[in-house]
């Protein structure tokens, strides 16, 4: 009789893994049990066990068991967003359908339709509306938004998923880091901001910044650490008299200091062209109070505001009342900037505990104390925003990049408040026009808008609105959407509707043109065949049949006997076999085309072409031998030493961008699989173009000092120098030939020492 077979003994690593997983899940359960939600631990445990079994034996790039990722996502959903059991189960199961053999139907059978719907929204897809050459990322994002329209928890869990991926991004190769970080900065951080997830938005931005610009990130972190004691002294001295005043009022409060995030500091330094030491609002003070009752909440905000205004002088233009007029993402607070005794401006944010919670957790905080997992229906601003997203999705852009741009337009951060003629308040993005407002009211009103009255004064459609404006839209039935409108429409809704109407009009004109062509051909005894259409396109030098139909329908092409003769002569040539080989082209026209094609081949034959065996995970080194075979994008003019990134275009050529370039961020968000990490390995033997802009106070001899420093002291060649002066203030640009980024920094640092120069920046 054979001895019974003993089960295989688990390895020490497997034992440690099991212990780590159990501890992580226990931490998740404890977090959920401490929340106000109903305690549905059975369904959460069931989802955990199901996901654990489904992902068994799979590890992440970091080496830890894969199940640790879904647990971490569920923990973020519970701890940092305050979501309930349905969301936690969906987070635990969010990768099961994508990565295993289980289907959405299996999830629905075991966990119900609501969890299955959320998991389905979180599952990536292939193919889609953009075609075979499409951006799968844009298609995935479209599906997320479609499902989000029915259940906002889809996008909330996706943000949790993205946050954990960003926290563990160090295990990914550099090209994946740039792709994920760029996509996060372009789409997910603005999305988190739009949903009021301020804390998560800041972390997503900082993590993206850390991986895209590691040196700049570390430099700012070091400067923050070095100046921490100074800020702490300022905070204590500034808040001491405030605390005494609030104590006298008998208010239940706490005062916190908030330090500006590294990404926000870096962005301000770049946009304002200032140094770290010139960023004045690194420190902000938050006064968070507990009102005696909800009715007194707003009154208490202003009571605190009056009290601190008696201590410090406030900045007249820096008062923001987000209490009476909350931001579109639900944010409420009273902001005031005060002058401290140390001569520094300090922003003070006054908010109740409820406002503070909404500021950190966004719309999720609205549901935190509701019964069970039921999503509230009373978040008017959120529902308005979701309905706008849905309208855009009903008629999406055919191009992936345009689609992402249109959606991103709707993720505006700053708002203004505009009034209707009846006094109703509308929240609009800053920089919007009267045309945007018209489309915001209704598509019909927007499409028939001829102008507007702003504060009872007649203005054109392109007029930019200001906060507090009262707007009356003027319409006419004879008015129709014009193609030029797209140039001054700024909101996603207006742009999407204008483009949709224009596309519809184009389709109607094309259909009319096609019918006109059919009648013309029948009249001449010819068929509306593909070959006849193609021949006429060649005859009129038009590439696409659709463009040819449009030209006929638009009457820019008038069909005549010449067209009929062209087709009849062409058809007659088909009877002779030997003449099939001779293209029926005018010799005078054919020659330039051949020459241009040869010329194009000469221009492109030397460009580097990426083959199938090219390893996209490894860095691509730009050196003296291959630099001329690459395409340097004109949108950002990157030079050696810059944080740069590569993009493989449709022809397999490598296009070089600056990592901070807005076009590069779009490419990372839409075509992440074509992004490659590039490193510079130049030997300072080649020169690159760099442009520096200068502003300052004009004086005699300033130009001489400039040229002396650049040409004689630094021995740098100036290609072009343009200086203009008006009322004692000069503005100028200098085009230079430099080896790398170090040259530019040296030149800028040297020019800063010249008397009269107030601001200097590089134009990219």
């Amino acid at each position: 009789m054979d001895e019974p077979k003993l089960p295989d003994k688990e390895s020490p690593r497997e034992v440690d893994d099991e212990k780590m997983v159990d501890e992580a899940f226990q931490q998740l359960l404890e977090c959920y049990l401490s929340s106000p939600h109903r305690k549905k631990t059975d369904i959460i445990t069931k989802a955990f066990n199901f996901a654990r079994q489904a992902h068994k034996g799979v590890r992440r790039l970091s080496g830890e068991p894969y199940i640790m990722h879904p647990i971490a996502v569920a923990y973020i959903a519970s701890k940092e967003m305050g979501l309930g059991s349905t969301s936690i189960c969906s987070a635990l199961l969010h990768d099961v359908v994508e990565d295993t053999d289980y289907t959405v139907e299996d999830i629905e059978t075991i966990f119900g339709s609501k969890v299955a719907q959320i998991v389905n929204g979180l599952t990536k897809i292939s193919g889609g509306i953009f075609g075979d050459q499409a951006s799968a990322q844009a298609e995935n994002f479209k599906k997320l938004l479609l499902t989000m329209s029915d259940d906002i928890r889809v996008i909330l869990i996706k943000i949790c998923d993205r946050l954990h991926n960003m926290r563990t991004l160090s295990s990914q190769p550099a090209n994946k880091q740039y792709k994920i970080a760029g996509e996060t900065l372009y789409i997910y951080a603005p999305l988190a901001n739009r949903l009021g997830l301020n804390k998560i938005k800041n972390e997503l931005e900082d993590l993206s910044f850390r991986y895209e610009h590691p040196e700049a990130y570390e430099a700012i972190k070091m400067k923050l650490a070095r100046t921490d004691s100074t800020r702490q002294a300022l905070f204590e001295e500034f808040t001491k008299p405030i605390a005494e005043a609030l104590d006298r009022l008998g208010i239940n409060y706490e005062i916190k200091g908030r330090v500006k995030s590294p990404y926000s500091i870096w962005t301000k330094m770049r946009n304002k062209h200032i140094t770290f030491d010139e960023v004045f609002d690194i420190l902000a003070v938050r006064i968070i109070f507990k009102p005696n009752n909800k009715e007194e909440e707003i009154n208490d905000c202003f009571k605190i505001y009056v009290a601190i205004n008696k201590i410090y002088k406030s900045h007249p233009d820096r008062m923001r009342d987000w209490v009476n007029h909350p931001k579109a993402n639900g944010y409420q607070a009273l902001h005031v900037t005060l002058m401290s005794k140390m001569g520094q401006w300090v922003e003070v944010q006054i908010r109740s505990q409820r406002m503070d919670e909404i500021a950190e957790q966004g719309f999720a905080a609205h549901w935190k104390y509701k019964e069970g997992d039921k999503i509230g229906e009373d978040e008017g601003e959120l529902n308005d925003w979701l309905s706008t997203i849905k309208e855009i999705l009903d008629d999406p852009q055919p191009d992936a990049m345009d689609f992402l741009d249109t959606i991103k337009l709707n993720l505006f951060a700053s708002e203004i408040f505009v009034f209707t003629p009846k006094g109703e308040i509308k929240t609009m993005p800053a920089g919007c026009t009267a045309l945007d407002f018209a489309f915001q009211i209704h598509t019909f009103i927007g499409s028939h808008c001829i102008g507007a009255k702003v504060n009872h004064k007649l203005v054109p459609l392109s007029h930019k609105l200001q906060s507090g404006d009262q707007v009356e839209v003027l319409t006419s039935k004879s008015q129709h959407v014009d193609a030029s409108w797209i140039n001054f429409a700024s909101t996603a809704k207006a742009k999407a509707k204008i483009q949709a109407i224009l596309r519809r009009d184009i389709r109607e004109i094309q259909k009319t043109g096609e019918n006109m062509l059919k009648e013309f051909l029948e009249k001449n005894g010819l068929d509306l065949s593909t070959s006849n259409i193609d021949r006429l396109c060649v005859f009129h030098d038009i590439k696409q049949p659709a463009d040819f139909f449009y030209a006929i329908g638009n009457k820019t092409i008038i069909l005549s006997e010449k067209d009929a003769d062209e087709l009849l002569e062409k058809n007659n040539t088909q009877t002779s076999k030997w003449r099939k080989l001779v293209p029926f082209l005018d010799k005078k026209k054919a020659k330039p085309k051949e020459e241009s094609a040869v010329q194009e081949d000469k221009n492109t034959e030397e460009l580097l072409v990426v083959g199938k065996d090219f390893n996209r995970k490894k860095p691509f080194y730009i050196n003296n031998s291959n630099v001329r075979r690459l395409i340097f994008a004109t949108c950002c003019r990157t030079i050696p030493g810059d944080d740069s990134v590569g993009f493989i275009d449709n022809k397999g050529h490598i296009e070089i961008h600056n990592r901070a370039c807005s076009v590069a961020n779009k490419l990372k968000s839409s075509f992440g699989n074509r992004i490659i990490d590039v490193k510079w390995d130049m030997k300072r033997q080649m020169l690159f173009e760099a442009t520096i802009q200068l502003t300052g106070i004009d004086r005699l001899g300033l130009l001489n000092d400039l040229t002396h420093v650049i040409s004689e002291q630094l021995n740098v060649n100036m290609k072009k120098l343009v200086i203009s002066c008006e009322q004692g203030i000069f503005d100028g640009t200098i085009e230079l030939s430099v080896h790398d980024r170090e040259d530019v920094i040296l030149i800028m640092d040297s020019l800063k020492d010249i008397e009269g120069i107030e601001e200097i920046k590089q134009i990219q």
Side-chain angles (χ1 to χ4, degrees):
M1 183 176 171
D2 294 335
E3 290 183 8
K5 189 176 181 181
L6 297 173
D8 294 335
K9 189 176 180 181
E10 289 184 329
S11 68
R13 183 182 183 183
E14 288 174 334
V15 172
D16 290 342
D17 285 347
E18 292 291 316
K19 185 181 177 183
M20 178 173 63
V21 171
D22 289 337
E23 287 176 353
F25 179 64
Q26 194 58 42
Q27 188 181 20
L28 169 63
L29 274 184
E30 288 172 3
C31 176
Y32 171 68
L33 289 170
S34 65
S35 74
H37 290 284
R38 287 182 292 181
K39 307 303 180 271
K40 297 181 180 178
T41 54
D42 290 347
I43 189 76
I44 292 174
T45 305
K46 185 178 180 181
F48 163 67
N49 289 327
F50 185 88
R52 187 181 202 174
Q53 184 61 36
H55 295 300
K56 190 174 183 180
V58 182
R59 294 185 180 276
R60 302 190 83 206
L61 286 179
S62 60
E64 67 181 16
Y66 192 87
I67 188 62
M68 290 296 290
H69 170 63
I71 294 172
V73 174
Y75 185 79
I76 293 169
S78 177
K79 179 75 174 176
E80 300 184 44
M81 286 194 185
L83 300 176
S85 59
T86 300
S87 301
I88 292 171
C89 288
S90 302
L92 288 168
L93 299 165
H94 79 273
D95 276 335
V96 166
V97 174
E98 183 185 344
D99 296 341
T100 73
D101 294 332
Y102 289 105
T103 64
V104 175
E105 288 73 24
D106 295 331
I107 301 295
E108 185 172 4
T109 302
I110 301 168
F111 298 99
S113 60
K114 184 54 69 177
V115 171
Q117 180 189 7
I118 296 172
V119 171
N120 186 41
L122 290 161
T123 302
K124 292 176 184 173
I125 56 176
S126 57
I129 62 168
F130 298 119
D132 295 335
Q133 302 301 317
S135 158
Q137 287 160 274
E139 186 64 31
N140 291 332
F141 191 65
K142 176 178 179 286
K143 185 180 180 185
L144 270 174
L145 292 171
L146 278 168
T147 317
M148 181 190 78
S149 302
D150 299 319
D151 196 325
I152 191 69
R153 287 174 291 191
V154 172
I155 207 69
L156 292 176
I157 296 167
K158 183 61 185 176
I159 290 171
C160 296
D161 177 45
R162 178 50 57 110
L163 179 57
H164 186 248
N165 283 335
M166 288 301 298
R167 287 173 176 174
T168 56
L169 197 57
S170 59
S171 58
Q172 293 281 356
N175 66 317
K176 278 287 187 70
Q177 288 179 351
Y178 302 147
K179 174 255 179 186
I180 295 169
E183 187 181 70
T184 299
L185 207 55
Y186 190 71
I187 292 292
Y188 288 99
L191 195 54
N193 181 60
R194 191 60 183 75
L195 292 168
L197 303 164
N198 188 57
K199 188 177 178 183
I200 289 175
K201 185 264 298 187
N202 287 338
E203 188 175 353
L204 288 174
E205 288 177 341
D206 276 350
L207 287 168
S208 299
F209 175 40
R210 175 184 170 187
Y211 285 104
E212 291 226 86
H213 306 280
E215 291 179 5
Y217 175 82
E218 288 302 326
I220 291 175
K221 288 283 283 184
M222 286 177 64
K223 287 172 182 174
L224 283 172
R226 194 175 64 243
T227 55
D228 183 61
S229 57
T230 307
R231 278 194 307 278
Q232 190 60 36
L234 171 63
F235 175 77
E236 289 174 2
E237 183 178 324
F238 181 78
T239 57
K240 187 178 178 182
I242 292 176
E244 291 170 356
L246 297 183
D247 287 339
R248 287 194 295 270
L249 288 172
I251 293 173
N252 185 357
Y253 70 93
E254 65 173 323
I255 300 178
K256 293 180 179 179
R258 182 233 41 155
V259 178
K260 206 173 186 70
S261 68
Y263 175 77
S264 296
I265 294 170
W266 181 72
T267 303
K268 191 156 194 173
M269 287 166 62
R270 281 172 57 87
N271 292 342
K272 302 277 187 181
H273 310 292
I274 56 177
T275 64
F276 176 87
D277 296 326
E278 293 172 303
V279 181
F280 76 90
D281 59 346
I282 289 178
L283 174 69
V285 171
R286 283 180 185 157
I287 301 173
I288 303 165
F289 66 92
K290 185 177 182 181
N292 294 325
N293 55 69
K294 194 175 180 181
E295 288 71 28
E296 293 296 316
E297 193 177 42
I298 293 177
N299 287 340
D300 285 349
C301 280
F302 284 95
K303 194 187 291 182
I304 294 170
Y305 168 70
V306 170
I308 62 178
N309 255 279
K310 291 177 180 177
I311 304 168
Y312 300 109
K313 297 293 182 185
S314 61
H315 195 298
D317 300 322
R318 298 282 297 175
M319 196 323 197
R320 298 288 183 269
D321 180 8
W322 302 115
V323 174
N324 289 305
H325 305 291
K327 288 187 178 184
N329 60 16
Y331 178 83
Q332 274 185 293
L334 196 61
H335 289 200
V336 58
T337 302
L338 305 171
M339 176 57 75
S340 71
K341 304 296 185 189
M342 296 171 73
Q344 290 177 266
W345 290 108
V346 179
E347 184 183 72
V348 179
Q349 302 166 358
I350 306 166
R351 53 173 84 155
S352 67
Q353 287 181 348
R354 181 191 65 83
M355 294 174 189
D356 185 60
E357 194 167 61
I358 291 171
E360 296 303 313
Q361 294 188 324
F363 282 107
H366 286 291
W367 319 319
K368 191 171 181 181
Y369 299 105
K370 292 182 185 291
E371 274 298 309
D373 275 353
K374 186 172 174 60
I375 300 298
E377 297 295 332
D378 54 349
E379 286 77 39
E381 290 285 2
L382 176 62
N383 290 331
D384 289 346
W385 181 66
L386 291 179
S387 66
T388 302
I389 290 288
K390 211 163 189 174
E391 284 184 45
I392 296 167
L393 292 168
D394 285 342
D395 194 0
Q397 299 293 326
D399 180 77
M401 298 273 279
D402 288 344
F403 171 72
L404 285 176
D405 269 352
T406 305
I407 292 296
K408 194 174 187 297
L409 270 175
N410 217 48
L411 306 179
F412 52 82
S414 56
E415 302 91 14
I416 61 172
F417 302 103
V418 183
F419 294 91
T420 67
K422 292 182 179 179
E424 295 175 15
I425 193 165
K426 297 283 183 183
T427 304
M428 297 289 292
C432 69
T433 61
L435 181 65
D436 294 315
F437 182 77
F439 273 101
Q440 186 67 26
I441 296 170
H442 197 279
T443 302
F444 180 83
I445 293 173
S447 58
H448 292 84
C449 178
I450 57 171
K453 283 185 179 179
V454 175
N455 305 325
H456 310 291
K457 183 182 177 182
L458 193 64
V459 297
L461 296 176
S462 58
H463 178 82
K464 288 193 175 182
L465 303 178
Q466 303 294 325
S467 203
D469 282 347
Q470 188 172 31
V471 186
E472 179 187 354
V473 179
L474 306 175
T475 60
S476 169
K477 288 182 179 179
S478 62
Q479 177 67 296
H480 196 66
V481 171
D482 190 272
S484 64
W485 288 9
I486 204 71
N487 298 323
F488 50 82
S490 66
T491 63
K493 183 174 182 178
K495 279 184 176 287
K497 290 300 175 185
I498 292 167
Q499 287 168 337
I501 292 168
L502 291 173
R503 284 199 299 272
R504 186 187 65 204
D505 292 348
I506 288 168
R507 285 194 295 268
E508 288 177 1
I509 293 171
Q510 285 172 342
K511 190 65 181 174
T512 302
E514 188 176 0
N515 290 334
M516 289 169 67
L517 177 62
K518 186 179 180 182
E519 289 176 13
F520 172 80
L521 292 173
E522 287 175 352
K523 186 179 176 182
N524 287 276
L526 295 162
D527 296 328
L528 186 68
S529 63
T530 305
S531 58
N532 281 340
I533 295 169
D534 289 344
R535 285 169 194 151
L536 287 175
C537 284
V538 171
F539 183 66
H540 287 280
D541 200 22
I542 293 176
K543 292 182 179 179
Q544 297 295 331
D547 296 336
F548 184 51
F549 295 150
Y550 182 80
I552 296 170
N554 207 28
K555 294 185 172 58
T556 52
I557 287 180
I558 306 296
L559 297 169
S560 65
E561 289 181 8
K562 289 183 179 180
D563 295 282
D565 292 343
E566 169 72 10
L567 290 178
L568 289 168
E569 191 173 347
K570 279 274 190 179
N571 289 335
N572 289 336
T573 62
Q574 300 303 310
T575 57
S576 299
K577 289 183 179 179
W578 68 269
R579 293 193 70 180
K580 281 185 180 181
L581 302 174
V582 182
F584 193 82
L585 290 171
D586 181 33
K587 290 180 181 179
K588 290 181 181 179
K589 288 183 179 178
K591 193 173 181 181
K593 287 185 178 179
E594 289 171 1
E595 286 178 354
S596 64
V598 171
Q599 188 65 37
E600 186 178 342
D601 287 341
K602 284 182 179 178
N603 289 337
T604 58
E605 65 183 358
E606 293 183 358
L607 288 175
L608 186 69
V609 179
V610 169
K612 290 182 179 179
D613 56 345
F614 182 80
N615 190 343
R616 302 187 185 196
K617 293 183 179 179
K618 288 186 177 180
F620 175 81
Y621 285 88
I622 304 174
N623 52 43
N624 289 60
S625 61
N626 64 24
V627 68
R628 296 186 187 279
R629 302 180 66 198
L630 307 173
I631 300 170
F632 283 81
T634 55
C635 51
C636 50
R637 300 172 69 180
T638 190
I639 61 174
D642 281 343
D643 288 339
S644 305
V645 72
F647 171 71
I648 301 172
D649 67 16
N650 291 330
K651 295 180 180 179
H653 302 145
I654 298 177
E655 196 175 281
I656 308 299
H657 288 264
N658 192 300
R659 281 184 220 159
C661 167
S662 59
V663 174
N665 278 334
K666 291 181 190 177
L667 294 171
K668 293 172 204 165
S669 304
S670 302
F671 305 99
N673 60 323
R674 298 193 200 172
I675 297 295
I676 58 171
D677 178 26
V678 298
K679 306 285 186 191
W680 293 97
D681 186 27
M682 305 296 291
K683 306 299 182 187
R684 291 181 62 84
Q685 296 171 352
M686 298 180 69
L687 294 171
F688 295 80
E689 287 185 18
T691 303
I692 290 173
Q693 186 175 36
L694 307 159
T695 54
I697 300 166
D698 190 28
R699 63 173 174 81
L700 190 66
L702 178 66
L703 186 59
N704 183 56
D705 289 347
L706 275 172
T707 54
H708 176 76
V709 169
I710 295 172
S711 300
E712 296 184 30
Q713 286 188 16
L714 301 174
N715 196 28
V716 173
N717 181 36
M718 283 190 296
K719 297 187 70 178
K720 188 177 181 182
L721 173 63
V722 179
I723 298 283
S724 61
C725 182
E726 187 175 346
Q727 296 181 355
I729 304 298
F730 81 86
D731 183 74
T733 57
I734 310 173
E735 289 184 15
L736 306 163
S737 295
V738 298
H739 293 106
D740 52 28
R741 170 67 44 214
E742 289 183 9
D743 281 358
V744 177
I745 294 170
L746 177 63
I747 293 165
M748 290 173 70
D749 287 344
S750 300
L751 294 179
K752 282 178 184 176
D753 295 332
I754 296 175
E755 181 189 347
I757 293 181
E758 297 294 324
E759 187 178 300
I760 181 168
K761 64 179 180 180
Q762 184 188 358
I763 300 175
Q764 290 188 325

